[in-house]
Amino acid sequence: MAPPWIAPSILSADFARLGAEVDAVLAAGADLVHFDVMDNHYVPNLTIGPLVCEALRKHGIKAPIDVHLMVQPVDRIVPDFARAGATYISFHPEASAHVDRTISLIREHGCRPGLVFNPATPLDWLDYTLDKLDLVLLMSVNPGFGGQQFLPGVLPKIAAVRRRISALGREVRVEVDGGIKADNIAAVARAGADTFVAGSAIFGSGNYPATIRTMRAAISAAQAAAGTTAI
Ligand code: DX5
Ligand code: ZN
């Protein structure tokens, strides 16, 4: 399995000091920057777009930026995010009229494609897409807001995705997003995730390094117990 990555969701950061907040979580040990894009159409909230992604790059952020698109339609905005410096671009299949085309579009623009599954979205969408993806993002809340309660129904879904990726024999990241905290991250790791989004649990904590350290220790312990330590 790929080494575990912790991805703070900047949705819970102090937007008035965004550059400094991202610098702080990266200095605290975060691996990638989770960037939630909401359009008040696909989800009932409105957040940030490519200009803010570009501003983070201009500020000097070198870490991978993990753009989670909660927008409909999807394709129009993909080239803008590629130009703005996105590394991963993930989208919800229900929001795209042509899922295969959107995956190709992301790849053609030099980014890594990911497909996102809401709590009630079946994994069937992976049938003809998994071999073209770099990331599968499983929602453990309904998308739209930070600070919601983790839905444990995602755990068997994580395990099912992990089995499919093992059978595929190619590395595809399994990311989980929503309600992850230091006290449930071990269960998420045990189920087979390797990439952990946490917004309120990190930015709402007084001490970013201590919170990320605690999360990383819980992941390592869970992986060691399951015999799936990163290689
Ligand atoms: C929800 C977003 C999440 C959210 C996670 O729609 O996709 O990334 O910010 O926030 P927490 O960790 O607070 O649930
Ligand atoms: Zn997200």
Side-chain angles (χ1 to χ4, degrees):
M1 201 189 295
W5 281 356
I6 294 186
S9 161
I10 59 173
L11 191 56
S12 293
D14 176 356
F15 275 106
R17 308 172 43 252
L18 188 58
E21 285 274 75
V22 175
D23 288 338
V25 284
L26 290 171
D31 301 284
L32 74 168
V33 179
H34 188 77
F35 192 106
D36 285 308
V37 184
M38 306 186 186
D39 67 349
N40 188 38
H41 172 70
Y42 179 66
V43 290
N45 199 359
L46 187 63
T47 60
I48 46 178
L51 278 177
V52 176
C53 185
E54 193 182 351
L56 288 177
R57 287 297 186 213
K58 284 188 176 151
H59 175 75
I61 301 300
K62 300 274 187 286
I65 297 183
D66 174 30
V67 172
H68 174 191
L69 294 179
M70 289 160 274
V71 305
Q72 188 173 24
V74 181
D75 293 7
R76 227 292 303 140
I77 205 76
V78 164
D80 295 10
F81 269 105
R83 268 192 299 274
T87 311
Y88 288 87
I89 300 181
S90 301
F91 67 99
H92 291 250
E94 300 94 335
S96 169
H98 304 281
V99 171
D100 184 78
R101 176 177 290 151
T102 305
I103 293 170
S104 302
L105 185 70
I106 293 168
R107 183 79 71 193
E108 281 158 16
H109 280 80
C111 297
R112 298 166 173 243
L115 203 58
V116 194
F117 292 79
N118 285 331
T121 304
L123 293 178
D124 302 9
W125 288 103
L126 290 178
D127 286 355
Y128 304 102
T129 58
L130 185 57
D131 59 334
K132 299 177 178 176
L133 297 173
D134 286 343
L135 177 81
V136 175
L137 172 49
L138 296 169
M139 297 303 299
S140 40
V141 297
N142 285 290
F145 302 95
Q148 301 181 78
Q149 196 71 24
F150 180 82
L151 299 171
V154 75
L155 294 172
K157 219 170 166 184
I158 299 168
V161 172
R162 175 55 64 196
R163 281 194 297 274
R164 289 180 75 140
I165 291 169
S166 302
L168 185 72
R170 199 184 119 242
E171 191 183 298
V172 181
R173 287 228 160 228
V174 181
E175 181 174 38
V176 181
D177 182 6
I180 294 185
K181 314 220 168 307
D183 63 6
N184 60 17
I185 203 165
V188 176
R190 224 176 289 121
D194 55 29
T195 307
F196 306 83
V197 177
S200 48
I202 292 175
F203 286 104
S205 77
N207 187 334
Y208 302 164
T211 305
I212 292 175
R213 217 172 19 246
T214 306
M215 288 179 159
R216 216 179 269 293
I219 294 166
S220 303
Q223 288 186 337
T228 56
T229 314
I231 41 164

